[in-house]
Amino acid sequence: MPALAFNHGSGSGSGVTDFLQAYSQLLPQAPTGILVVEAHMKHETSQPVQIVGDSSLAARVAGCLQAQDIPLRLSPADSHHPRGAHGIDDATLAFKSVPLVAISVAANGADARQSLSCGQALAPLREQGVLILGSGVPAFHNFDILRHGPKEVERVTAAFGGW
């Protein structure tokens, strides 16, 4: 199963949901689960990765992270996702009957190795049919940069793309 990073919706409108529904038709098979790496769920470097969603899929995600000694915190199965977690909303609407779990991302300024280790730990889920969705593409999700004008947006976006 592929991994896809997308710029999630705003919480209103159906553009991203429509895109994900159309994308699902291109997949080699129906996903057995959806893992959303949610831009609106953040943890500091010293905090554990937060996992929320379907209890069975959450246990599989937790097992992958634990195997690599990545600290985690499982939320109760009936926990609701954070307000404004648009990637989760988009994926839930697009994949209505597929188990879904969301995990937090490292906050800005964290060592990139933490995110890379997490990605490596979760990669085996793709072989199990889990579609991994990175919600909130970093090059376009840093709204603070918009205050600095178009030249700065272009500079930072080019630097991110080059990296």
Side-chain angles (χ1 to χ4, degrees):
M1 195 59 62
L4 172 71
F6 69 103
N7 198 15
H8 59 230
S10 64
S12 63
S14 63
V16 175
T17 300
D18 293 346
F19 163 76
L20 289 172
Q21 286 174 332
Y23 179 77
S24 72
Q25 301 304 308
L26 303 173
L27 295 172
Q29 63 192 37
T32 61
I34 306 289
L35 171 59
V36 178
V37 182
E38 176 57 60
H40 289 283
M41 290 174 56
K42 295 182 181 163
H43 62 269
E44 297 299 325
T45 301
S46 60
Q47 296 175 330
V49 174
Q50 180 185 353
I51 304 171
V52 62
D54 177 81
S55 58
S56 178
L57 181 55
R60 291 169 52 202
V61 170
C64 290
L65 296 175
Q66 288 168 330
Q68 298 299 316
D69 296 321
I70 296 173
L72 61 98
R73 184 178 82 237
L74 274 168
S75 295
D78 62 348
S79 292
H80 295 291
H81 63 275
R83 181 172 162 76
H86 309 309
I88 298 170
D89 295 337
D90 294 328
T92 299
L93 291 171
F95 298 94
K96 290 182 174 90
S97 61
V98 179
L100 184 133
V101 164
I103 65 168
S104 58
V105 296
N108 291 345
D111 188 333
R113 289 177 287 200
Q114 180 184 10
S115 294
L116 292 171
S117 294
C118 194
Q120 290 171 333
L122 296 170
L125 292 170
R126 295 173 61 199
E127 297 299 321
Q128 300 170 23
V130 176
L131 176 63
I132 298 176
L133 299 175
S135 167
V137 178
F140 304 103
H141 199 266
N142 184 353
F143 294 113
D144 182 54
I145 196 170
L146 297 176
R147 294 177 241 222
H148 300 286
K151 291 218 182 283
E152 183 65 2
V153 170
E154 184 178 326
R155 183 192 71 75
V156 171
T157 300
F160 178 80
W163 174 80

